[in-house]
């Protein structure tokens, strides 16, 4: 279990996270929703250990993989090499098998020897997805990875992502703007307020994922509640 | 007038057009410049009309032909070349390692930066004169070459390290990628193009300063000593011939670095 206790983060005089206390259960998918610029990415960076902060984060030495907003692929390595780049601790056979499996899962086997320059935006995100899932982590952090892609491609990649995620048992913290996607995917949804960000809404969804539908009355009610909370906490940032 | 582009002509025609453009820009234009310079030299020499004071290009070529059949020419070229290579490799290796350390440990950069600033500002001739007094006439030019090239390599490499994508380094750190893999698969490929550009621009400069040091140090088996000898005997056509030989040597070394640069660029262009 990951525990955040009284986590506060300032960028100079700007307070971004304000006294966040939170426990994330193992193997569960937690979606974080909030308006633009409300510290969602900062919260993920705190969990990943990529930024300093005040307070405590207890991770039990959990390993972390991260799907960033940008793909962060090394331009001089092929798609396959980019995936294998993070698998250095494995034996060559294990590395090959893990890369093969994930490149196949993201439907990039035929493009594995292309360099990022030759890949489309969606393909690059799929490589980043393969890299994040191939890495044997306990926790997967996901930060709006399909932001900036067109709607059809976003839907396709989100489906691919959720398909892989269903077969994967790791703890996931997923930042998204899409309330519909969150209610279909998450075991728990957290809403952050405008800056300085505080937890303003926290709900567990116990409906089995294969039985969820956006027309389900309970999910519909949760969607409306989240929407209302977001509207109440909206700023013009 | 309709411009030729990939969109409005067949592929083979376009490739032929691009090849012609490459040949024009890489061979024909430089050749025209060279011929123009030789023409100006020729006209100037004929205008002055004193071949022993300002020889014509043909006279210099004849002298160069004479040098080419003498053993002393190859000994001098070999000597200068060996000193150039030794000083360049030393400056390059130490410059790259020092910049890599400075990139990793900022205090190292704070220590090295004043040294580099001093080395860049110090008059080359005063260092040559001092080094001639301190070192033997083989190592004095090597030291001068090193002192000129080192700051260039260090600065170029340090800046290249600073320009490596921080987000990629952060990604490597998050995924606990080993230092070896981060170095060989991320950092070295990122800085190599810049470092090779620095190498290309500094190798001919290295030849120049090494010859200058050889002139002062009267280094045995060197282009510099041969130039000094021509000056003492007031044999200006031979001095010109040695100058042409020095230019060709610098050109060949720059070409060798260009070949490495081309190979690396072709590899990265795939990427």
């Amino acid at each position: 279990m990951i525990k955040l206790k009284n986590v506060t983060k300032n960028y100079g005089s700007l307070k971004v996270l304000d006294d966040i206390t939170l426990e994330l259960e193992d193997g569960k998918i937690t979606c974080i929703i909030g308006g633009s610029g409300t510290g969602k990415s900062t919260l993920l960076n705190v969990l990943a250990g990529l930024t300093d902060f005040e307070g405590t984060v207890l991770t039990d030495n959990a390993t972390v993989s991260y799907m960033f907003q940008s793909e962060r692929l090394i331009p001089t390595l092929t798609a396959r090499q980019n995936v294998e780049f993070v698998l250095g601790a494995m034996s060559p056979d294990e590395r090959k098998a893990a890369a093969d499996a994930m490149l196949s899962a993201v439907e990039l086997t035929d493009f594995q020897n292309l360099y990022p320059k030759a890949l489309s935006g969606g393909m690059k995100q799929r490589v980043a997805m393969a890299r994040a899932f191939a890495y044997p982590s306990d926790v997967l952090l996901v930060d709006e990875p399909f932001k900036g892609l067109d709607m059809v491609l976003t839907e396709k990649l989100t489906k691919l992502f959720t398909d892989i995620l269903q077969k994967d048992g790791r703890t996931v913290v997923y930042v998204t703007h899409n309330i519909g996607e969150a209610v279909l995917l998450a075991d728990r949804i957290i809403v952050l307020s405008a800056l300085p960000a505080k937890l303003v809404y926290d709900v567990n969804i116990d409906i089995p994922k294969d039985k969820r539908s956006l027309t389900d009355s309970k999910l519909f009610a949760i969607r409306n509640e989240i929407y209302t909370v977001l509207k109440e906490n909206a700023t013009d940032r | 007038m309709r411009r030729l582009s990939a969109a409005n002509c067949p592929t083979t025609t376009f490739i032929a057009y691009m090849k012609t453009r490459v040949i024009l820009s890489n061979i024909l234009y430089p050749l025209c410049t060279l011929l123009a310079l030789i023409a100006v030299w020729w006209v100037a020499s004929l205008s002055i009309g004193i071949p022993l004071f300002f020889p014509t290009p043909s006279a210099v070529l004849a002298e160069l032909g004479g040098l080419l059949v003498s053993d002393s020419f190859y000994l001098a070229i070999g000597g200068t070349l060996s000193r150039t290579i030794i000083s360049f490799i030393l400056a390059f290796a130490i410059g790259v390692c020092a910049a890599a350390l400075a990139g990793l440990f900022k205090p190292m950069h704070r220590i090295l930066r004043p040294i580099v600033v001093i080395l860049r500002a110090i008059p080359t001739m005063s260092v040559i004169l001092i080094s001639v007094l301190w070192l033997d006439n083989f190592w004095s030019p090597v030291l001068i070459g090193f002192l000129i090239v080192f700051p260039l390599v260090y600065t170029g490499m340090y800046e290249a390290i600073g320009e490596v994508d921080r987000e990629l380094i952060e990604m490597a750190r998050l995924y606990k990628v080993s230092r070896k893999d981060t170095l060989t698969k991320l950092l070295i490929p990122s800085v190599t193009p810049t470092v090779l550009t620095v190498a290309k621009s500094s190798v001919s400069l290295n030849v120049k300063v090494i010859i200058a040091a050889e002139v002062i140090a009267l280094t045995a088996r060197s282009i510099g000593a041969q130039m000094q000898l021509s000056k003492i005997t007031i044999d200006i056509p031979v001095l010109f011939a040695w100058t042409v030989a020095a230019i060709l040597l610098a050109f060949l070394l720059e070409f060798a670095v260009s070949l490495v640069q081309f190979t690396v660029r072709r590899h990265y262009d795939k990427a």
Side-chain angles (χ1 to χ4, degrees):
Chain A
M1 182 178 283
I2 296 174
K3 292 180 185 174
L4 289 87
K5 208 171 167 189
N6 308 116
V7 170
T8 297
K9 169 73 187 172
N10 298 294
Y11 287 114
S13 59
L14 179 70
K15 185 178 270 189
V16 180
L17 301 178
D18 186 14
D19 200 28
I20 305 263
T21 296
L22 183 65
E23 290 187 0
L24 300 169
E25 261 187 80
D26 290 343
K28 302 284 184 190
I29 301 172
T30 304
C31 281
I32 299 175
I33 296 180
S36 296
T38 52
K40 304 184 296 293
S41 299
T42 303
L43 184 58
L44 289 194
N45 287 340
V46 166
L47 287 167
L50 296 179
T51 187
D52 55 345
F53 56 91
E54 292 164 31
T56 315
V57 175
L58 299 171
T59 61
D60 290 336
N61 293 324
T63 50
V64 174
S65 51
Y66 199 150
M67 275 186 76
F68 302 94
Q69 274 187 18
S70 59
E71 311 87 16
R72 301 200 187 186
L73 301 181
I74 298 173
T76 50
L77 299 180
T78 62
R80 164 175 279 278
Q81 288 166 338
N82 265 288
V83 176
E84 291 188 349
F85 178 68
V86 302
L87 308 177
M90 295 180 180
S91 71
D93 287 345
E94 284 173 335
R95 198 180 314 145
K96 185 180 178 307
D100 279 343
M102 286 322 305
L103 284 164
S104 166
V106 298
E107 301 166 5
L108 277 181
T109 305
D110 294 340
F111 304 95
Q112 60 180 305
N113 294 321
L114 293 183
Y115 288 91
K117 198 170 82 175
L119 300 173
S120 66
M123 286 163 127
K124 285 181 200 169
Q125 273 301 359
R126 279 192 272 163
V127 177
M129 197 191 298
R131 180 179 64 193
F133 278 108
Y135 185 72
S137 63
D138 304 308
V139 180
L140 171 62
L141 306 175
V142 187
D143 188 5
E144 298 182 84
F146 313 126
K147 193 178 175 183
L149 300 177
D150 69 60
M151 203 174 72
V152 176
L153 191 58
T154 302
E155 268 180 30
K156 186 188 165 190
L157 292 182
T158 305
K159 165 118 186 30
L160 196 63
F161 176 75
T162 47
D163 286 349
I164 299 170
L165 207 54
Q166 304 297 349
K167 299 168 201 158
D168 199 273
R170 70 188 96 188
T171 309
V172 177
V173 184
Y174 189 175
V175 165
T176 181
H177 275 119
N178 190 330
I179 306 172
E181 183 184 293
V183 293
L184 290 176
L185 186 68
D187 297 301
R188 180 183 181 190
I189 298 175
I190 287 165
V191 179
L192 293 183
S193 69
L195 293 187
K198 288 174 176 288
L199 299 190
V200 287
Y201 184 81
D202 188 349
V203 63
N204 286 301
I205 306 176
D206 50 13
I207 303 168
K209 284 181 192 130
D210 55 348
K211 294 199 173 113
R212 291 187 194 181
S213 154
L214 288 176
T215 53
D216 181 284
S217 59
K218 193 175 174 190
L219 289 183
F220 189 77
I222 292 172
R223 276 181 77 181
N224 282 344
E225 275 181 57
I226 293 171
Y227 184 69
T228 309
V229 172
L230 280 173
K231 269 184 82 175
E232 282 167 2
N233 285 278
T235 64
D236 53 1
R237 276 173 65 84
Chain B
M1 193 177 79
R2 206 164 73 114
R3 277 184 69 85
L4 197 59
S5 73
N8 65 14
C9 72
T11 312
T12 48
T13 314
F14 188 71
I15 290 170
Y17 168 71
M18 289 308 289
K19 275 184 180 169
T20 310
R21 281 193 63 167
V22 168
I23 290 168
L24 271 174
S25 57
N26 289 330
I27 298 170
L28 208 58
Y29 292 151
L31 199 65
C32 286
T33 309
L34 189 65
L35 289 173
L37 283 173
I38 291 171
V40 170
W41 173 8
W42 213 309
V43 170
S45 169
L46 291 175
S47 310
I48 291 168
I50 311 169
L52 287 177
F53 178 70
F54 197 160
T56 60
S58 60
V60 171
L61 205 63
E63 288 294 346
L64 190 61
L67 289 177
L68 282 170
V69 293
S70 69
D71 290 345
S72 59
F73 176 80
Y74 296 101
L75 287 173
I77 293 285
T80 298
L81 184 64
S82 63
R83 278 179 286 276
T84 303
I85 290 172
I86 291 169
S87 72
F88 189 75
I89 288 174
L90 281 174
F92 204 77
I94 296 173
V96 164
C97 292
L101 283 172
L104 290 171
F105 310 107
K106 293 294 166 197
M108 183 81 178
H109 178 59
R110 287 185 204 113
I111 292 166
L112 287 172
R113 193 170 50 184
I115 298 170
V116 170
V117 170
I118 290 168
L119 286 178
R120 285 162 74 135
I122 201 164
T124 310
M125 200 45 74
S126 66
V127 182
I128 292 174
L129 292 170
I130 293 164
S131 71
V132 165
L133 296 173
W134 286 353
L135 299 170
D136 69 34
N137 57 15
F138 180 91
W139 288 104
S140 174
V142 172
L143 175 71
I144 300 305
F146 174 86
L147 294 177
I148 294 297
V149 174
F150 171 78
L152 298 175
V153 173
Y154 174 85
T155 308
M157 174 77 177
Y158 183 77
E159 283 174 3
I161 290 171
E163 283 161 14
V164 175
D165 191 337
R166 297 288 115 183
E167 289 196 335
L168 291 180
I169 294 172
E170 194 178 66
M171 178 274 295
R173 194 155 58 93
L174 177 99
Y175 283 111
K176 297 183 170 41
V177 176
S178 67
R179 277 173 188 262
K180 180 180 154 259
D181 279 354
T182 305
L183 187 71
T184 57
K185 293 174 182 171
L186 173 56
L187 294 175
I188 290 177
S190 299
V191 301
T192 300
T194 310
V195 170
L196 284 174
T197 304
V198 173
K200 191 181 166 188
S201 60
S202 56
V203 71
S204 45
L205 179 67
N206 196 25
V207 173
K208 269 167 68 165
V209 294
I210 280 194
I211 291 174
E214 287 171 348
V215 169
I216 306 292
L218 281 177
T219 307
R221 294 175 182 172
S222 73
I223 294 176
Q226 294 293 335
M227 285 180 165
Q228 183 69 302
L229 192 65
S230 320
K231 185 220 153 201
I232 291 165
T233 56
I234 320 176
D235 196 347
I236 293 175
V238 172
L239 183 55
F240 267 64
W242 278 111
T243 306
V244 171
I247 291 169
L248 290 175
L249 181 67
F251 176 77
L252 279 174
L253 287 171
E254 205 170 297
F255 182 70
V257 178
S258 293
L259 278 181
V260 178
Q261 197 179 26
F262 175 75
T263 311
V264 170
R265 193 173 286 167
R266 200 169 56 167
H267 174 73
Y268 288 144
D269 276 351
K270 288 183 204 158

